[in-house]
Amino acid sequence: GPSVLGLLAEVAVNVGRADAADAIGSGLVELAACGVARGSVPVARGEELVAPPPLVIADLLVKHADAVAAVRAAMPAASPHYDAERHDDLWCLRFLLSHKLDPPKAVAAMAAALELRHTMGLDEVAVHVRTWPCERWPAWAAFEECLPLFAVYTHWPHPDGGLIHLCRAPEVDLRALAAKIDKLEFFLKYALEWNFQILDDASRRCGRILKITRVFDCPGFSPRRQLSLAAVRKLTALSAQWESLYPQLLGVQLFCHVPKVLRGLLDHVIVPLFPARLTEKTRVIAPRERADDRAALLAWIGEGDVGAAWLPKYLGGTAELEASHDWVHGHRGGRRPNQSLT
């Protein structure tokens, strides 16, 4: 059955027999196509990708005023790290939206996040990323070492739009990255806090909750040469942590133009490692081949003609855009990691 094949693929990758993992991945796809796969649910296809309506902050605060007030009333007793001025209505609203508007669950999640922020020193990190150019970040050396292997670059097409994390999967080397995962985690602590701070600033400025669209373009990715489930496990564990620390920050995670062998591994080996909230936000699309997928991707990117002008050719657009080791590509005049937010 597919669960056994998934286990065999995992073992094959871990012992370096990625050629066997390739074959097993293809077998998983064939089983799924024949309706045999029962052990897991394949990632949703692109036609199910629907961008939500804008999250207008003022409207949401009016609509959920009682729930926000309940959270704010409960937080002083729930966490010694709660600061009513810093952790304001919008901060509370993010936790409510991520916990089905249930105040007790939002309070518990917010208290846990504040404790984790305290343990990780994220309030100090926030000061660094808001006031220091990125070259002064303590994690900058780790960034320079890991980014060529991690190959996820941040784009900001419009100052009143969300961020786009763009990865050309053939550039990723998860096997080499597995040996540097602690350094990557150190850098990502700074990078994700910068992402949150810049989007929180932009959200307050434009009046909408802005999010990250994470895009992996997958043609040419070779499990045989690049896949490390140890690295995948660590990154998915970090993703669960990020979801708890930064609710309403990630909008959607898209795997584009996924090769057949990778699709089998993705559905039955990799995605089952994801935390539930990340799985809910994950889709497989093919915007270069499918007009509906391309339209859905543009809807997530948003900002009308600006988003369309940004979309690179390899994602079905017209822009001559390639990833770059500069890490961030922004609109003209936009803030980047080498510019302070204050």
Side-chain angles (χ1 to χ4, degrees):
S3 59
V4 175
L5 282 175
L7 178 61
L8 289 173
E10 183 171 344
V11 171
V13 171
N14 283 335
V15 300
R17 289 300 306 276
D19 52 342
D22 286 355
I24 294 168
S26 297
L28 282 167
V29 175
E30 298 297 339
L31 283 174
C34 295
V36 177
R38 298 186 181 89
S40 60
V41 179
V43 179
R45 278 203 48 77
E47 54 264 32
E48 300 181 25
L49 177 66
V50 178
L55 296 175
V56 180
I57 295 168
D59 293 348
L60 290 169
L61 289 177
V62 170
K63 184 177 181 179
H64 305 301
D66 290 345
V68 170
V71 170
R72 300 205 70 170
M75 281 307 302
S79 172
H81 309 300
Y82 174 68
D83 181 320
E85 182 177 353
R86 180 188 304 169
H87 308 126
D88 61 2
D89 287 356
L90 176 55
W91 182 285
C92 297
L93 179 64
R94 291 179 181 275
F95 283 90
L96 278 165
L97 293 175
S98 292
H99 292 85
K100 303 185 185 300
L101 299 171
D102 185 319
K105 289 182 179 179
V107 168
M110 188 169 165
L114 291 177
E115 183 63 35
L116 187 56
R117 286 188 66 85
H118 175 73
T119 301
M120 296 176 65
L122 287 178
D123 288 339
E124 181 180 0
V125 171
V127 173
H128 291 171
V129 300
R130 291 185 66 88
T131 58
W132 291 357
C134 57
E135 290 83 359
R136 288 188 59 197
W137 296 358
W140 186 248
F143 158 76
E144 291 189 308
E145 186 172 347
C146 292
L147 185 62
L149 305 175
F150 189 51
V152 176
Y153 305 92
T154 301
H155 296 258
W156 195 24
H158 194 279
D160 292 336
L163 294 175
I164 301 165
H165 289 176
L166 178 60
C167 175
R168 300 298 301 275
E171 298 179 17
V172 175
D173 190 342
L174 290 174
R175 293 190 174 187
L177 196 61
K180 302 178 184 290
I181 204 72
D182 291 339
K183 293 181 179 180
L184 177 66
E185 181 179 2
F186 182 43
F187 167 68
L188 289 176
K189 181 168 78 168
Y190 279 76
L192 265 293
E193 184 66 24
W194 182 83
N195 282 191
F196 170 72
Q197 293 292 335
I198 199 168
L199 283 185
D200 189 60
D201 273 12
S203 296
R204 293 171 189 274
R205 184 179 63 249
C206 75
R208 295 175 288 119
I209 296 179
L210 302 175
K211 301 188 180 185
I212 294 168
T213 299
R214 187 180 295 159
V215 182
F216 298 94
D217 190 46
C218 298
F221 181 86
S222 169
R224 179 179 306 179
R225 293 182 291 101
Q226 296 171 269
L227 185 61
S228 163
L229 290 179
V232 170
R233 283 197 189 89
K234 182 63 176 180
L235 288 170
T236 53
L238 288 174
S239 294
Q241 184 183 85
W242 300 333
E243 286 286 317
S244 66
L245 284 169
Y246 305 110
Q248 299 297 304
L249 187 61
L250 177 65
V252 68
Q253 175 172 266
L254 304 173
F255 289 88
C256 301
H257 315 114
V258 178
K260 182 178 178 180
V261 59
L262 180 58
R263 182 62 193 263
L265 294 171
L266 189 68
D267 281 346
H268 300 284
V269 179
I270 297 172
V271 170
L273 298 174
F274 289 177
R277 283 203 184 97
L278 183 59
T279 301
E280 292 169 0
K281 297 177 181 180
T282 300
R283 297 291 185 273
V284 174
I285 64 174
R288 194 170 58 244
E289 289 89 20
R290 297 171 55 94
D292 55 343
D293 285 0
R294 186 162 56 254
L297 174 56
L298 285 171
W300 269 100
I301 294 172
E303 307 308 324
D305 292 341
V306 175
W310 172 86
L311 195 68
K313 286 184 175 180
Y314 53 82
L315 293 178
T318 59
E320 297 285 353
L321 177 69
E322 290 293 337
S324 165
H325 294 281
D326 291 338
W327 180 42
V328 171
H329 307 265
H331 58 89
R332 290 182 179 177
R335 296 187 179 98
R336 305 182 185 185
N338 60 353
Q339 298 171 292
S340 67
L341 291 172
T342 55

